[in-house]
Amino acid sequence: MARIEIKRKSLEEATAGVLEVEGALEIRLREDEPREWTFVPDDAELPAEGNVVVSLKRLADVAGDSRYGSVGVRIQAGEDVREIAPHLARIGIVELEFPKFRDGRNYSSAAILRQQLKYTGEIRAIGDVLADQLFYMIRVGIDCLALHPSVKEETARRALDRFAFVYQQSSDDRRPVWTLRNG
């Protein structure tokens, strides 16, 4: 397994009246060096250059633009991730948004990216990502997780090591227990 890097990133809250949180944990399970990404909302002007993350709706316009070193896409729950297939060669990161703890639609998106589209780039979970979800997110191929600010580092580390064995194959490299038993 790749190295596990857990770091606390400071959050920037622009909304008045919102409590400032010291920072959110980010778990990275990739060997390559992280890049700096800038999310550009649909109603905002694109920067002159750099690594940008845009919505699925805006991807087609940005993916062909050579001003951007690499392009990222943010997939909302319920959007069809297969729509990014024509642009996969230019995509450096796919951000999967989990708007609520109980909304698991983007687990399927991660599995489709890894198993059907053979995407090897970074898949990042953002939004309401809690410790209880970490093991399952990693199983479906998510390799970078931006956790909810309430998650403590100790809790995240325990969640990563919660299950010693798995019972079915998935997008991660773990071998199911039956292959260990039966060779």
Side-chain angles (χ1 to χ4, degrees):
M1 180 183 253
R3 69 185 161 120
I4 297 173
E5 179 182 321
I6 300 178
K7 63 181 178 180
R8 189 163 293 278
K9 294 185 94 171
S10 61
L11 294 179
E12 298 173 15
E13 294 291 341
T15 309
V18 174
L19 289 175
E20 285 192 30
V21 180
E22 185 176 317
L25 288 177
E26 183 176 284
I27 298 175
R28 186 170 170 77
L29 303 168
R30 297 182 60 87
E31 294 292 336
D32 57 347
E33 288 299 316
R35 296 187 214 169
E36 290 296 321
W37 294 95
T38 303
F39 175 69
V40 183
D42 288 341
D43 58 350
E45 190 174 321
L46 288 164
E49 59 185 21
N51 297 321
V52 296
V53 177
V54 296
S55 69
L56 181 60
K57 181 170 82 172
R58 203 171 189 183
L59 178 63
D61 298 333
V62 178
D65 195 331
S66 61
R67 293 181 297 165
Y68 306 108
S70 192
V71 176
V73 62
R74 181 171 291 180
I75 304 294
Q76 303 290 323
E79 291 181 327
D80 188 357
V81 74
R82 290 173 286 224
E83 291 182 30
I84 72 170
H87 311 289
L88 222 48
R90 285 269 297 139
I91 294 176
I93 187 172
V94 177
E95 291 184 346
L96 299 177
E97 187 162 2
F98 291 83
K100 295 182 181 181
F101 173 76
R102 63 179 177 257
D103 189 341
R105 292 177 284 180
N106 270 334
Y107 285 93
S108 299
S109 297
I112 288 168
L113 282 165
R114 294 289 189 220
Q115 295 169 7
Q116 292 178 14
L117 300 178
K118 307 296 184 210
Y119 179 69
T120 58
E122 184 173 330
I123 300 177
R124 184 170 200 236
I126 61 171
D128 197 15
V129 178
L130 303 178
D132 293 350
Q133 300 167 296
L134 300 182
F135 175 80
Y136 304 104
M137 287 182 169
I138 292 167
R139 295 273 4 245
V140 297
I142 296 172
D143 52 15
C144 186
L145 305 106
L147 288 99
H148 188 274
S150 65
V151 178
K152 293 181 171 56
E153 184 173 346
E154 179 184 328
T155 307
R157 287 191 185 279
R158 279 196 320 261
L160 292 172
D161 297 329
R162 182 167 293 149
F163 302 107
F165 299 102
V166 296
Y167 290 95
Q168 67 275 351
Q169 293 176 328
S170 190
S171 298
D172 62 359
D173 294 333
R174 295 184 68 176
R175 291 181 56 199
V177 70
W178 57 268
T179 64
L180 300 174
R181 255 192 330 248
N182 300 326

